[in-house]
Amino acid sequence: MKLTHLVSTALLAATAMTAGVLSANAADISDGKIKIGILNDQSGVYADFGGKWSVEAAKMAVEDFGGKVQGAPIEIVDADHQNKADIASNIARKWYDTEQVDAIMELTTSSVALAVQGISEEKKKIDIVTGAATTDLTGKACSPYGFHWAYDTHSQAVGTGGALVKQGGDSWYFITVDYAFGHSLEEQTTKFIEDKGGKVLGDVLYPLGATDYSSFLLQAQSSGAKVIGLANAGLDTSNSIKQAAEFGIVQGGQRLAALLFTLAEVHGLGLKAAQGVVLTEAYYWDRDDKSREFGERFLKRTGRMPNMIQAGTYSAVMQYLKAVDKAGTDATEPVAKLLHEMPVNDVFTQNGKVQADGSMVHDMYLFQVKKPEESKRDWDYYTYLATIPGDEAYLSASESGCSLK
């Protein structure tokens, strides 16, 4: 009886000690939980580019992490910013001020990402951008708490732009979406073209979400440029390519450079229309064993393979949770410090590194869209062409224009 009593007392003490440790750990997590907001376009031109599929990728990361960090549950919330910076800003402020959101991620659309990164810096909260492209995020608008994860306009310009210049495409005309992303993408590609001895013959700006590209395409066609650069993304790119086919632009000898084109848009457009397009992505499901394993799990869950935005969102959420776990707290300063220090090794990339400006430097990959007869199964869309090493694909911190050191 005495022995039983002693054992019971010991078990109770051990249980209490364990509970105390868990309680202490959870006490270092604000509000007793980790809450991550995925803020993106879920109903507009970028709904397939990121959209609800990025939300699913974020949830997969939470599940793969185990659902808790430091004893605290992890929650994903999401919202549609409708590609409007004012709507996104209102959501971000509400999330931070009244809904205990610890970090905001994805942030498709550069104008939105810039606005939310400014608010995040003001509130001393972490944001990790996977959906927007402008290099201003790690340049003049850089933040000690802001991170740019999947790609940027410089990596796209070096990849797709570089390939076509090497192939003799040394004269360009741009059709550019008229906001921060499009301007940045055209600017970065122009610099690369001119550095390689090429020239830009002109450009035309159009509003996001336009449906009729005929006048823009005719201007580009009449310019005589060897390459028509589409400085846009999502449905805008798909619609541009569809209408270019109607004008016989490629048949007439000009090339189309889709400067931000992902697996999601290729799928939506179809191989017949998209075949031959050269593009740059940071992730492709059929690149190696790790990417294939993740891609198949994502396919089973969503009915589609992930593109670099969705896989990048998985990576961003996973790395943030690793940093919180290692820091033992979700306090912004120590977590941000670890995000700058920790290498990134996951299904998205290997040996990624975060610079002082917040840019996550990693390899990019050049692909060409297959012809329909070359594809062996659904989502078998790319032929691998080349690897662009991370240090070539991204601006260094000293080149970025960021004041952080």
Side-chain angles (χ1 to χ4, degrees):
M1 188 76 175
K2 220 176 227 186
L3 183 59
T4 304
H5 176 72
L6 287 172
V7 170
S8 299
T9 303
L11 285 172
L12 285 169
T15 302
M17 186 178 295
T18 302
V21 170
L22 290 174
S23 177
N25 284 342
D28 292 329
I29 303 297
S30 60
D31 307 302
K33 63 181 180 296
I34 294 293
K35 201 169 184 180
I36 299 169
I38 305 299
L39 183 56
N40 62 6
D41 175 11
Q42 298 180 12
S43 58
V45 295
Y46 301 136
D48 277 350
F49 184 74
K52 62 184 180 181
W53 316 114
S54 288
V55 178
E56 287 303 312
K59 290 178 179 178
M60 283 180 70
V62 171
E63 292 165 14
D64 288 352
F65 196 81
K68 290 185 178 182
V69 57
Q70 292 291 316
I74 307 161
E75 181 181 352
I76 298 292
V77 295
D78 67 274
D80 182 357
H81 59 48
Q82 301 173 50
N83 294 310
K84 296 177 181 177
D86 57 341
I87 290 176
S89 297
N90 289 337
I91 293 169
R93 288 188 184 280
K94 182 182 178 184
W95 276 358
Y96 286 148
D97 293 344
T98 66
E99 297 188 15
Q100 295 82 48
V101 168
D102 299 293
I104 297 177
M105 303 185 193
E106 220 268 36
L107 296 168
T108 313
T109 314
S110 292
S111 54
V112 163
L114 289 165
V116 173
Q117 181 155 293
I119 293 168
S120 299
E121 182 173 13
E122 172 195 331
K123 302 289 183 180
K124 293 189 176 180
K125 297 282 190 176
I126 287 170
D127 70 277
I128 306 180
V129 177
T130 58
T134 179
T135 52
D136 285 351
L137 288 160
T138 51
K140 62 184 181 183
C142 67
S143 159
Y145 317 121
F147 300 86
H148 203 176
W149 216 251
Y151 73 105
D152 65 18
T153 50
H154 187 269
S155 68
Q156 300 308 113
V158 170
T160 308
L164 291 176
V165 171
K166 285 179 181 178
Q167 293 175 12
D170 55 5
S171 63
W172 288 60
Y173 189 97
F174 287 97
I175 297 175
T176 302
V177 62
D178 190 12
Y179 74 98
F181 153 67
H183 299 164
S184 181
L185 187 52
E186 179 181 338
E187 179 185 343
Q188 294 284 343
T189 309
T190 295
K191 183 178 184 301
F192 192 83
I193 292 164
E194 292 177 346
D195 286 348
K196 297 297 180 181
K199 56 186 177 180
V200 174
L201 305 183
D203 69 351
V204 59
L205 300 175
Y206 76 89
L208 177 66
T211 55
D212 184 1
Y213 296 85
S214 56
S215 63
F216 315 134
L217 288 163
L218 286 171
Q219 289 179 59
Q221 189 176 40
S222 63
S223 73
K226 294 178 183 177
V227 181
I228 298 173
L230 302 176
N232 52 17
L235 281 178
D236 283 8
T237 303
S238 297
N239 289 332
S240 301
I241 292 173
K242 282 180 184 176
Q243 292 180 33
E246 294 172 9
F247 286 102
I249 285 176
V250 174
Q251 293 87 335
Q254 291 173 297
R255 298 194 70 174
L256 286 176
L259 296 170
L260 182 49
F261 202 44
T262 76
L263 195 72
E265 292 75 58
V266 173
H267 182 71
L269 194 56
L271 290 182
K272 185 176 180 181
Q275 62 183 305
V277 171
V278 176
L279 56 88
T280 303
E281 282 212 61
Y283 168 92
Y284 179 48
W285 71 269
D286 199 23
R287 193 179 64 82
D288 59 24
D289 289 342
K290 281 189 174 183
S291 60
R292 277 188 286 273
E293 187 274 335
F294 176 72
E296 293 293 354
R297 286 199 296 126
F298 192 88
L299 176 67
K300 186 175 180 180
R301 184 184 185 112
T302 66
R304 60 193 293 124
M305 287 293 185
N307 64 5
M308 68 176 170
I309 314 306
Q310 293 134 15
T313 300
Y314 175 95
S315 173
V317 171
M318 184 64 76
Q319 192 76 354
Y320 174 75
L321 294 174
K322 288 178 183 176
V324 171
D325 192 40
K326 189 172 183 179
T329 177
D330 62 349
T332 297
E333 297 288 351
V335 173
K337 183 174 185 293
L338 283 169
L339 284 171
H340 278 99
E341 294 173 353
M342 293 165 51
V344 183
N345 291 295
D346 54 28
V347 299
F348 178 72
T349 195
Q350 293 293 303
N351 302 314
K353 60 183 180 182
V354 177
Q355 301 183 141
D357 60 6
S359 176
M360 199 271 277
V361 174
H362 55 278
D363 292 349
M364 302 292 292
Y365 305 99
L366 191 67
F367 300 105
Q368 184 164 338
V369 178
K370 291 182 175 182
K371 298 176 181 177
E373 60 270 22
E374 294 172 335
S375 178
K376 297 177 182 178
R377 57 166 284 188
D378 286 345
W379 301 97
D380 175 27
Y381 296 159
Y382 290 172
T383 297
Y384 166 82
L385 297 179
T387 296
I388 304 108
D391 290 337
E392 292 179 21
Y394 292 89
L395 293 167
S396 68
S398 61
E399 295 171 315
S400 68
C402 176
S403 59
L404 300 173
K405 294 182 180 179

